Amino acid sequence: MSTIELAGARPFTYRFDPATSALVVIDMQRDFIEPGGFGASLGNDVTRLQAIVPTVRRLLDAWRATGGLIVHTREAHARDLSDCPPSKRLRGTPSLRIGDAGPMGRILVTGEPGSQIVAELAPAPGEVVIDKPGKGMFHATGLDSLLHAQGITHLVFTGVTTEVCVQTSMREANDRGYECLLIEDGTESYFPEFKAATLAMITAQGAIVGWVADSAELIGALAR
Ligand code: TIU
């Protein structure tokens, strides 16, 4: 495939070649999207996040049709919590802490039902699935080497939550030299004002972190 231009992207046209780009789906796991998981334990209403599942599915389907690389992440810790700093586990007053047993198994622990990606967005064979102990997808993962080995230079971000794991991952990626696009209606926050602020922040100062576009423009461009 050759270069695709998204002229409606903000703050200016985003150009990418699907052959050197990956679609990144951040943390669309039950722990954040369904009641009884980590997101709900922090006091959040998870229905806002459920609403983007069909949009992310359409993006996955369109990207799969190009044959391009897809990366799914999950925020999930080792069973012995050896990769969970006490500062993370003990912060605040959640109803359940990381590692505690909840209705979907142990909170944010790898292999538990809550750490599984929601059924509609289940990874297909050959897609990369990364368990990450941090908010950012490069911290304590081998993802940067994997992307370099595959010749990936551009990353298209979707997933949750916009200002926490998505923004952290996008900033980490920007510092590593990737050209990053965030799909506005393919990401969501428990706090609409934080989502709006994140979109404004990343595109300010001449795309200081990256670009923003909507799913219809990307899907339309991939189909042409
Ligand atoms: N709390 C919150 O908004 N997010 C997280 O803790 N993790 C992710 O964003 N995945």
Side-chain angles (χ1 to χ4, degrees), residues 26-29 32 38-39 42 44 49 73-75 88 108 132 134-135 159-167 188-191:
I26 300 282
D27 298 0
M28 291 297 287
Q29 67 201 68
F32 295 105
F38 184 61
L42 297 172
N44 299 305
L49 273 51
T73 69
R74 301 182 292 210
E75 186 175 345
K88 182 176 184 184
L108 287 198
K132 60 181 181 59
K135 303 303 182 191
V160 296
T161 61
T162 314
E163 79 283 9
V164 183
C165 290
V166 176
Q167 182 174 204
E188 195 48 89
S189 169
Y190 300 119
F191 305 92

Side-chain angles (χ1 to χ4, degrees), residues 25-30 32 71-77 108-112 114-118 123 128-134 136-137 141 165:
V25 184
I26 300 282
D27 298 0
M28 291 297 287
Q29 67 201 68
R30 299 179 67 197
F32 295 105
V71 176
H72 303 260
T73 69
R74 301 182 292 210
E75 186 175 345
H77 292 278
L108 287 198
V109 169
T110 191
E112 296 289 326
S115 81
Q116 299 309 308
I117 291 168
V118 295
V128 175
V129 182
I130 297 276
D131 280 342
K132 60 181 181 59
M137 68 183 187
T141 70
C165 290

Side-chain angles (χ1 to χ4, degrees), residues 3 14 22 40 42 52 73 79 91 104-105 108 114 143-144 152 155 162 165 173 183 185 188 194 202-203:
T3 302
Y14 180 76
L42 297 172
I52 68 163
T73 69
R79 303 195 66 75
R91 184 86 45 84
M104 293 188 287
L108 287 198
L143 185 56
D144 196 30
I152 299 296
L155 297 173
T162 314
C165 290
I183 303 301
D185 50 337
E188 195 48 89
F194 291 169
I202 65 172
T203 54

